[in-house]
Amino acid sequence: MATAKAPEDLDAWQLAVALRDQVFEFTAAPAARRFGSFCDQIQRSSSSVPANIAEGFRRYKPRDFARYLRIALGSLGETQTHLEHARTQKYISEEDFARAWRTSCRAIGACSRLRSYLSKCPDRP
């Protein structure tokens, strides 16, 4: 396994950024822009995922990093809830929803696996 030297090297971070970018893309469309507070909420929740991964990575302690991944997972759950709402309200096309949903599920899997691994690592002084 290659050593990650920056958060950008992690699959979890890359997937989180892809999801954030997909969210910002669909919230720029007129169908969603009419609902500004909704757009703000989903943009904030999706943006917090890569931010928490990066912050945890820079803590340099596995268990601290695992804690930030747990927070990122919570934001992924919030983002998925907003995606479902966007789908039912027709703020997002079925195709864009399916793509964002797949990305969010992949991000959840990557964060969960990394968190599980880090939870077993000892912290160094």
Side-chain angles (χ1 to χ4, degrees):
M1 178 192 301
T3 301
K5 302 209 183 311
E8 296 84 0
D9 297 335
L10 300 170
D11 288 343
W13 185 88
Q14 293 169 13
L15 289 163
V17 167
L19 177 61
R20 180 201 61 202
D21 292 349
Q22 290 167 14
V23 164
F24 273 77
E25 183 181 317
F26 97 77
T27 56
R33 288 182 57 89
R34 293 181 310 201
F35 306 96
S37 64
F38 167 78
C39 290
D40 290 345
Q41 288 177 331
I42 192 168
Q43 287 174 350
R44 278 195 312 271
S45 67
S46 66
S47 294
S48 73
V49 179
N52 276 300
I53 294 169
E55 185 173 355
F57 184 90
R58 296 293 179 197
R59 295 287 172 149
Y60 302 111
K61 296 213 181 244
R63 293 194 184 181
D64 278 351
F65 189 8
R67 186 170 62 86
Y68 277 87
L69 287 166
R70 201 167 52 249
I71 295 166
L73 284 163
S75 294
L76 282 164
E78 180 181 355
T79 300
Q80 282 189 327
T81 298
H82 293 314
L83 284 171
E84 268 295 328
H85 179 74
R87 185 182 62 78
T88 60
Q89 297 301 307
K90 310 280 191 239
Y91 302 162
I92 188 172
S93 71
E94 285 294 329
E95 182 180 315
D96 287 345
F97 169 80
R99 186 169 59 109
W101 191 265
R102 279 192 306 273
T103 303
S104 70
C105 289
R106 291 181 64 210
I108 287 170
C111 285
S112 295
R113 287 187 299 276
L114 182 55
R115 189 189 72 72
S116 178
Y117 168 77
L118 291 169
S119 295
K120 298 171 187 161
C121 293
D123 280 340
R124 295 182 182 171

